[in-house]
Amino acid sequence: MSTISNPQTKRESVATKPHHKGLWLSLKKPLWFALSTLAFVLIYFGLQDYMEYAPRVTLAITLAVIVLWVLEPIPFSMTAVLVLFLLPISGAVSTDLILSGFASPAIFLIVAGMMIASAVEQTSLGKRLAYQLLYWLGDKKGGVLAGIILIPQVMAFFIPAAAVRTAMLLPIVFSIASILGIKQGDVMGKKLMMGVVVSCGISGVAILPAAIGNVITVDLIHTYLHQHVTYVDWLILAFPMWLILIPVSWWVLHRCFPVKNEIPGGLKVKMKAMIGELGPVTREEKRLLAILVAVCLMWALEGIHGWPPVIPALIGAVLMAWPGIKIADWDKILDVKFAPLIMLGVTLSLGRALYETGVTNYLSRWMENDLTLYLFSNPALAVLTVAVLTQLIHKVTSNVSTAVIATVPVVVALSAHSPNAPALLLAFVAGLTCLFGFILVVETIPGVMVHGTGWVTQQDYFKPGFWLTLATTAVTYLMAVTWWSWLGYL
C-alpha cells in the first residue's frame, strides 16, 4: 500500500521548527534573568537566620551575577556594571569599596599591556617571528602544529593579553591553511585551530602579566593573605609546569586529530618567500624589540628596584610612541577596549567585598568538616583537591575572571581552618587552574574566538579537552610533590 505524502503537512512541519526556535529564543533571556533572581532570593531569604545582613546580601548579589555571567543573557561587562550600583544601593558596602578595584595596579597593567600589544600590531615583528618559527619547524612531522603552539609562548613575554595573542595568531593560521590547501572541515584544519585554543590558553601559565586571571589571583592573595607575589615569584613557581605542558599539549592534539601525510611539501620554501616579502628587519622593529626586552628585564628585576609590573609596562608603552623613537602612533596605542577593564575592576572589587563583609569567614565555617579537614591536612592532597575543585567550578563559571573570583576566596577560607594547608600555594593553584579551560568553548576567550571562525565545533573540544584536563591536573600534582615541595612552598 503506497503512502501519499501531503505537501501541506510538510510545509506546516517545516514552518513549526523556526516557530519553536523563535519561541525559545524569546523565552531564553527572561528565563536566565528569572534564574538569577531565584539565586538571589534563595540566598537572601534562605540564610536569614544564619548570616548578618551585609554578608548575606553581598553573597546573594554575587551568586546572582555569577548566574548572569555563566548564562550570558547580557554582555559580561554589563553584568559587571550591575555590581557597581547594586552593592552600594543595598548598603552592603560603601561606594569607595566597590570602586577600589579600579584603583588597583592590575587595571593599569592590563591597560599598558593592551597599549604594548597595539604597538606590536603596528609593526611586522609578530608576523616575522611566526613565519620564522614555521620556517624552522614546518618540514618536520607535526612541525606546523609545534610552530603554532610555540608562537603564543614567545608572544606571552611582551603581549600581556590572551585575546590579543589569539587575534594575532589566527590570521597567521589562516594564511598557513591557504598555503597548504586546507579547507574548513578538514581534520588538519581542526588540529591547527585547536592548537590556537590550547597554546593561547597555556601561554599565560608562567608569565604573571600574560593572563588577567593571574593578575586577579595575585591581587586576591595580597587582599586575603597580605603577601606580595612578584613577577619572578610567579615565574619560578610556574616555569617547569609551563615547559611540561607545551610538549604535552602538542602530543594530545597530535593524537586526537590524526592526519596521514601531514608533512606539507614546500612549506619551508613558501615561508621563506613570505619572510622575504616582509623585507629586512626595520629600525622600528629593532627599537620595538629592544624596548620589549627592556620591559621584560625590568619585570624580572622587581625584587631589586621594587617597581610593580605596571610601571615597566607603562614605561614601555610611552617609549614606543616617544618622539625620536616613534615605533607606533600614540592615538592608536590609546585605542584600548574598555569592556575587559570594567570586568577586571569589578571582579577585583567583588573579591574585596566578599572579604570585608565577612562572606569568606562564613564560607570557611560552613565548609569545615571532617572530609575537607582531611583533604587539606595533607599539602600534596590539598593541591590535587584544589585543582579538581577549580576545574569543576570552572565548568559552571565559564569566564576565567569569574572562575578566579569564585574559587580563590573559597580556597583561602578553607586553608584558614587547616594548619597544614599551604594557603599561598593553594590560592596560586586555584588561579592557575582557571586558565585550563579546554572542554567547553566558553571557558576561555581564545576558545570563544576560535569557535567563532566556524572551523571547529563544540564537539571538537571534548576529546582533546578531556585529556588535557586530566594532563594539567596530573602535572599540577606532580609539581606539588616535586618542584613546589623542593622550593619549600609545600
Side-chain angles (χ1 to χ4, degrees), residues 205-206 238-248:
V205 168
F239 193 73
M241 188 174 184
W242 188 33
L243 290 182
I244 293 172
L245 288 178
I246 293 171
V248 166

Side-chain angles (χ1 to χ4, degrees), residues 229-281:
V229 178
T230 67
Y231 178 93
V232 174
D233 291 335
W234 191 283
L235 182 65
I236 290 172
L237 274 169
F239 193 73
M241 188 174 184
W242 188 33
L243 290 182
I244 293 172
L245 288 178
I246 293 171
V248 166
S249 300
W250 176 88
W251 187 82
V252 169
L253 291 173
H254 194 64
R255 295 300 297 265
C256 288
F257 297 97
V259 179
K260 292 182 178 179
N261 303 321
E262 185 179 299
I263 302 176
L267 179 63
K268 192 165 187 174
V269 175
K270 291 173 183 176
M271 284 294 112
K272 188 175 182 179
M274 294 180 77
I275 294 170
E277 289 176 8
L278 294 176
V281 179

